[in-house]
Amino acid sequence: MTNSRNRRNKALLLALCAATAATTLSAVVPAAATAPGAGAPLPRLAWHPCAKPGGPATQECADLPVPLDYANPAGPQITVAVSRVRSERPAARRGTLVVIPGGPGGSGVQRLTQKGAALQKQLAGAYDLVAFDPRGVGGSTTASCGLAPGDRYLTSLRAWPAPNGDISENITRSERVAEACARNGGPVLRSFTTANEVADMDRLREVLGERKISAWGVSYGTYVGAVYAQKHPERTDRWVLDSSGDPDPTRLARGWLANMGQGADDRFPDFAAWAAHPDRDRDGLRLAADPRDVEPQLLALAASLDRVPRPSTTPGVPLTGNGLRQAVQNALYGDSAFPALAKLLVSLRDPAATPVLPPELAQPLRDEDAAQLVAVLCNDVAWPREGAAAGQRAVDEDRARHPLTAGMPVNVLPCAYWKDAPEQKPTRITANGPSDILMVQSRRDPSTPHSKGLKMREALGDRAVLVTVEQGGHGLYLGNGNACTDRTVTTFLTTGRRPAHDTDCAN
């Protein structure tokens, strides 16, 4: 299986569907230009300044050539965008920390821009900070499925059933998307896998000249980090897994999505308590006097939008019931998103009001972004090819069990019709390796529920210590305002000290 200040990317956290755009093999760097063949020297990175407003002033960027296919290292090369913020205190520097983004679809370069200054302050020069855009993301080589705009809206990429629960349209769209990706994606799209992201990360380590690296992975990035630690345990230094999902290879990706129903149920009471608090009277955002009344009110508003979608401030894009449900999912990632959600719900009480769509619902994703999301999930593991009747039963049962997510987490996706079989089996996470992993997990996480984070903890065995954070939200370190979490992770990264055993963290 993302932080409230980056809501768009978080909302995409485990979204699937689609396609990417723009890069085919014609955009691949010729092997002779950059590929280090057997015994050839590694490439040198041509760093250049790339600071952005709000980010570290010393941030640099470069392009790292990597094999399209690691089984043919001297063959065609593609590029991975990388970024770094060098330690401002060389005498205190102890190594390199890789920031692993969530998603699939998150940009490591963007995350370093967002978190670099806070990391510099917390880590006091202990590390060079490094990140990269996974294949298909941001400045790295991309690919395209050539999807129509209507298939690239978030409410299409997330498989929300029809208002009555019917999944016929989802099946048709999923088949269409899988066909388009097979027709247009080519070898570049097929290379978008967790295994290749891990291999690219290790290539970056080599090029940087590091024997070991430390890492901080969030959400889907925890799975990338866990796979790296499984494959290269001797190359891991201090490893932080922040908001982990279930790594069970038999339920990979599919299980991450299915778990979101329980995650929403775990987390929504936090929003309900906030929205019913008397303090909300001051800004006109109080939705009910009793927190127990907030969910029924929300479900009633969604049902009314199912019947009659409301024109929004975005021409041609009405607010539907599923659009409102998706807005709720997005807002549950961090408390800082609660006011905007409450404001939207208050506006829907007024029949004359024109609701303002959250940015992530107002326009389709870029074709490149949509392709990368679906490709990683579908390339990593073979999905079951269940019939329409079985899929409908699963959605009906999940809608009854988790009304907030209305069957979306278990609905049919393009992966069920994917044309290419995975090139390798998913990695099974085990306890084999050094005890150098710190896990932090929210008690009420809308995307990676605590109960599923425990599956990662169980798989890692004595390699890990788990800190359960007694609050809600997704993406904890330097993200959801928990001082205990920040202190615990910073202490581990700077001194190597972890709690002696699994423990809890309050504010």
Side-chain angles (χ1 to χ4, degrees):
M1 83 201 61
T2 229
N3 132 351
S4 57
R5 287 191 293 273
N6 190 15
R7 289 179 58 211
R8 177 181 171 86
N9 284 346
K10 289 294 193 181
L12 305 182
L13 169 67
L14 300 178
L16 44 94
C17 201
T20 141
T23 302
T24 62
L25 275 177
S26 62
V28 174
V29 180
T34 57
L42 290 167
R44 296 177 63 89
L45 295 175
W47 295 105
H48 60 87
C50 61
K52 296 288 194 300
T58 58
Q59 187 169 357
E60 300 175 292
C61 293
D63 290 326
L64 171 68
V66 297
L68 175 64
D69 180 359
Y70 277 92
N72 180 22
Q77 305 284 292
I78 59 176
T79 59
V80 168
V82 301
S83 186
R84 74 177 178 185
V85 178
R86 301 184 76 172
S87 168
E88 67 276 20
R89 296 176 59 209
R93 181 188 180 278
R94 64 171 310 277
T96 291
L97 176 74
V98 180
V99 177
I100 311 174
S107 163
V109 174
Q110 182 184 45
R111 187 159 183 82
L112 184 58
T113 299
Q114 295 168 337
K115 297 296 185 182
L119 284 167
Q120 285 180 298
K121 181 178 179 181
Q122 289 283 322
L123 303 179
Y127 296 92
D128 289 343
L129 309 174
V130 175
F132 63 98
D133 284 349
R135 300 177 184 215
V137 176
S140 296
T141 297
T142 58
S144 175
C145 294
L147 298 183
D151 287 341
R152 291 188 270 115
Y153 279 92
L154 187 54
T155 47
S156 300
L157 295 173
R158 290 282 181 92
W160 290 98
N164 65 356
D166 183 74
I167 66 170
S168 301
E169 185 177 349
N170 302 116
I171 291 173
T172 300
R173 179 182 293 113
S174 293
E175 292 177 323
R176 181 169 66 240
V177 167
E179 290 280 357
C181 290
R183 185 170 59 250
N184 301 319
V188 173
L189 187 76
R190 290 195 293 274
S191 81
F192 296 167
T193 64
T194 299
N196 277 333
E197 183 171 345
V198 166
D200 293 344
M201 182 172 159
D202 199 52
R203 174 57 58 91
L204 178 58
R205 176 198 60 79
E206 287 185 290
V207 171
L208 293 172
E210 298 283 8
R211 185 175 63 86
K212 290 185 175 185
I213 51 176
S214 295
W216 167 37
V218 180
S219 193
Y220 165 69
T222 64
Y223 178 67
V224 175
V227 172
Y228 187 99
Q230 184 69 36
K231 291 187 172 185
H232 308 295
E234 75 286 357
R235 299 173 191 167
T236 63
D237 186 5
R238 295 172 184 171
W239 225 244
V240 177
L241 304 184
D242 181 345
S243 306
S244 300
D246 184 353
D248 182 351
T250 65
R251 299 189 70 244
L252 203 62
R254 213 166 30 98
W256 299 339
L257 292 161
N259 294 337
M260 294 178 72
Q262 184 61 54
D265 290 348
D266 292 345
R267 171 64 163 151
F268 190 82
D270 289 340
F271 172 72
W274 180 92
H277 196 279
D279 285 353
R280 302 289 84 76
D281 285 331
R282 292 198 297 256
D283 46 24
L285 298 181
R286 195 177 189 192
L287 299 178
D290 188 330
R292 292 172 295 184
D293 294 333
V294 175
E295 182 175 340
Q297 180 185 141
L298 168 67
L299 295 176
L301 286 170
S304 70
L305 293 170
D306 284 338
R307 294 188 293 271
V308 183
R310 184 88 68 93
S312 75
T313 55
T314 304
V317 186
L319 179 61
T320 64
N322 285 337
L324 178 59
R325 294 180 184 99
Q326 184 62 62
V328 172
Q329 291 301 111
N330 299 350
L332 295 180
Y333 278 69
D335 291 6
S336 63
F338 287 178
L341 175 60
K343 186 175 181 179
L344 175 62
L345 295 173
V346 168
S347 73
L348 292 173
R349 291 170 161 178
D350 180 0
T354 302
V356 179
L357 292 181
E360 64 273 9
L361 300 182
Q363 59 186 1
L365 277 68
R366 294 190 319 153
D367 195 28
E368 295 91 340
D369 296 337
Q372 202 274 350
L373 293 177
V374 67
V376 173
L377 297 175
C378 300
N379 287 335
D380 266 9
V381 63
W383 287 52
R385 298 180 180 270
E386 298 174 338
Q392 187 67 66
R393 282 195 300 273
V395 166
D396 291 345
E397 292 170 2
D398 206 62
R399 282 168 63 86
R401 189 178 299 115
H402 306 294
L404 286 168
T405 48
M408 176 272 291
V410 302
N411 203 355
V412 66
L413 294 161
C415 301
Y417 305 99
W418 208 243
K419 306 304 179 184
D420 298 301
E423 292 190 358
Q424 52 188 287
K425 292 182 179 179
T427 298
R428 179 174 292 279
I429 306 304
T430 73
N432 297 330
S435 184
D436 58 4
I437 299 173
L438 175 66
M439 294 179 60
V440 290
Q441 194 86 14
S442 167
R443 180 70 73 180
R444 299 179 299 281
D445 189 313
S447 182
T448 53
H450 186 267
S451 57
K452 306 309 175 184
L454 291 177
K455 299 292 187 180
M456 178 72 86
R457 173 68 187 87
E458 180 182 1
L460 290 169
D462 291 340
R463 294 198 68 183
V465 170
L466 170 65
V467 176
T468 295
V469 183
E470 298 295 342
Q471 67 173 63
H474 182 70
L476 293 168
Y477 184 50
L478 306 180
N480 266 299
N482 186 280
C484 176
T485 305
D486 292 350
R487 182 171 59 251
T488 302
V489 174
T490 295
T491 297
F492 173 61
L493 290 175
T494 54
T495 71
R497 294 196 303 271
R498 297 179 305 181
H501 48 73
D502 292 356
T503 188
D504 291 351
C505 225
N507 261 318

